[in-house]
Amino acid sequence: IYDALKRAEREREVSRDRGVETNGRAAATYHPPDESEEDDYRRLRASLLFTPSYSEVHTIIVTATRHGEGATRVAVGLAKALASEGDTRVLLVEANMRSPSLSRILPLADGPGLSDYLAGEASPESLVKRLGDVNLSIVTAGDRPGMVDCEAIVTAIAELTPNFDFVIIDAPPVNRYADVSVLGPKVDGVILVVQADETPVADAENAKRTLDRVGARIFGVVLNRQKSYVPATIQALL
């Protein structure tokens, strides 16, 4: 992933040297928003399902190095891809308590969220909302953003996990908050999201060091929002 980010930086500088600028930033073309995005998530799902220890993978954190790199959308895309596989039961937990954004992506019904559980006003089971007619259920952060108790979140997830095949946890940025350092060792693995045109290599390296230091298992890295100057061989999961 470091090589991918460094190549993106070099290609961006080449574009600038050639005078290819748009509003002070190197011009770039995003891939067309067709079925390619769904294909990326299907490949991401396949990368997880065909790991040697696949049968031991049930709880997965999706995090980024910092805000704005698209971790929540990746978590949603992965959860939907997993839920589309037969009778696979998937739970998506919005554990980013400081800046929750899931309600802007999914049509969610009103009801208690994780913050209500942390306040002692709801049970873990009462937090689960079914999303339409798919095998995807959701636990939102709730109406009290900023309420954080990582150990209590671990307890809630542990109580809910036996009811699902996979639990995908949308977590806050690893470089900014300590949440993932607490949650990471308690789950089966972590997927790190970086943004192709924005994430400095130093941030990606720091995130990996943090995850390694706490003993979290890193499944892989998603190179998000790939631009045209990123080598075509660098795909979603590295």
Side-chain angles (χ1 to χ4, degrees):
I1 191 61
Y2 307 142
D3 288 341
L5 291 172
K6 288 176 181 176
R7 288 182 187 181
E9 290 176 356
R10 288 197 297 269
E11 292 294 333
R12 186 165 62 248
E13 292 302 323
V14 169
S15 297
R16 287 173 179 160
D17 291 342
R18 291 173 179 171
V20 185
E21 295 283 337
T22 302
N23 295 327
R25 296 184 63 182
T29 302
Y30 287 92
H31 291 293
D34 51 21
E35 294 182 358
S36 61
E37 186 175 354
E38 292 184 3
D39 288 339
D40 285 339
Y41 290 123
R42 282 193 286 267
R43 284 195 292 270
L44 183 57
R45 178 192 66 192
S47 296
L48 287 170
L49 300 188
F50 290 102
T51 55
S53 56
Y54 153 66
S55 61
E56 301 173 3
V57 176
H58 300 289
T59 52
I60 304 165
I61 283 177
V62 179
T63 184
T65 69
R66 56 185 180 176
H67 288 297
E69 293 174 324
T72 297
R73 289 189 178 275
V74 171
V76 171
L78 175 59
K80 285 184 174 181
L82 288 167
S84 68
E85 185 73 13
D87 297 326
T88 305
R89 301 162 302 166
V90 180
L91 177 66
L92 174 60
V93 178
E94 185 177 35
N96 188 348
M97 307 298 291
R98 295 175 178 83
S99 56
S101 59
L102 203 57
S103 60
R104 297 199 295 268
I105 301 174
L106 296 174
L108 300 174
D110 294 333
L114 199 54
S115 60
D116 297 286
Y117 168 77
L118 298 182
E121 298 177 359
S123 65
E125 293 78 11
S126 69
L127 308 180
V128 179
K129 307 175 183 69
R130 187 73 176 265
L131 185 67
D133 57 354
V134 297
N135 292 327
L136 176 59
S137 298
I138 311 291
V139 171
T140 62
D143 297 327
R144 304 174 186 180
M147 179 177 288
V148 180
D149 184 340
C150 293
E151 294 297 340
I153 292 174
V154 169
T155 300
I157 292 172
E159 290 190 31
L160 293 172
T161 296
N163 300 321
F164 297 92
D165 298 298
F166 294 98
V167 178
I168 308 300
I169 304 160
D170 174 31
V174 63
N175 286 352
R176 182 159 186 181
Y177 306 107
D179 302 36
V180 176
S181 294
V182 177
L183 298 172
K186 308 293 180 62
V187 301
D188 296 322
V190 177
I191 293 175
L192 180 65
V193 178
V194 297
Q195 188 171 342
D197 193 39
E198 297 293 336
T199 305
V201 174
D203 284 5
E205 292 174 336
N206 184 57
K208 183 180 184 300
R209 280 195 300 268
T210 298
L211 293 170
D212 287 340
R213 186 168 59 248
V214 299
R217 178 185 180 189
I218 303 174
F219 283 146
V221 180
V222 171
L223 187 62
N224 199 27
R225 297 166 184 159
Q226 182 176 332
K227 306 289 182 69
S228 60
Y229 50 73
V230 175
T233 54
I234 305 298
Q235 297 297 331
L237 185 66
L238 303 176

